[in-house]
Amino acid sequence: MAIKMRYLYFSGKPKYAEIGNHLKAKYDLQINSVDRIPPAYSCDKERIVVLGISAKNELPDPLRLFCRELTKARTANVALILDGNKAAEDAVIKTIKEAGTNVAGETLYISGGFPIFGNKLSEEETAKIDSWLDAIIENLA
């Protein structure tokens, strides 16, 4: 499936990096399409940017500043995978909408596990991510 997409994550939990590797393989994404926030290369006319975020309540400054820069010129849509709470989700969505970008679909909550132990993605979580993102991409067309 060819779509201009990136996965960017703001988390120290290995599971969120693993989500990026899974999406890169599944959607045959380019080399620089999976990165940490702030990314080495800025977004440019992406069809969708999937953000994987670990945050609770208030957004850390680097994440907040990055989300403010997600304008329509950088991406048309943003989808969220979150390890956090409703307050963090609301803060991210508010910041993205203020930048003028569409938030696509519902937020997907995936527990990041413990940073030290490096929990792996389960088959159930992988299937959940796949069906969630496939539905969002289908609705973009």
Side-chain angles (χ1 to χ4, degrees), residues 122-135:
S122 68
E123 288 182 24
E124 181 181 299
E125 289 171 325
T126 302
K128 188 176 180 181
I129 291 167
D130 290 347
S131 64
W132 169 79
L133 190 54
D134 287 343

Side-chain angles (χ1 to χ4, degrees), residues 1-6 22-30 33 47-48 50 129-141:
M1 175 182 297
I3 184 167
K4 193 161 184 206
M5 174 172 45
R6 289 186 70 186
H22 169 72
L23 295 178
K24 183 177 178 182
K26 179 176 180 187
Y27 294 99
D28 194 29
L29 301 179
Q30 295 179 0
S33 60
R47 180 79 187 274
I48 185 167
V50 180
I129 291 167
D130 290 347
S131 64
W132 169 79
L133 190 54
D134 287 343
I136 289 174
I137 291 171
E138 186 177 304
N139 288 329
L140 294 180

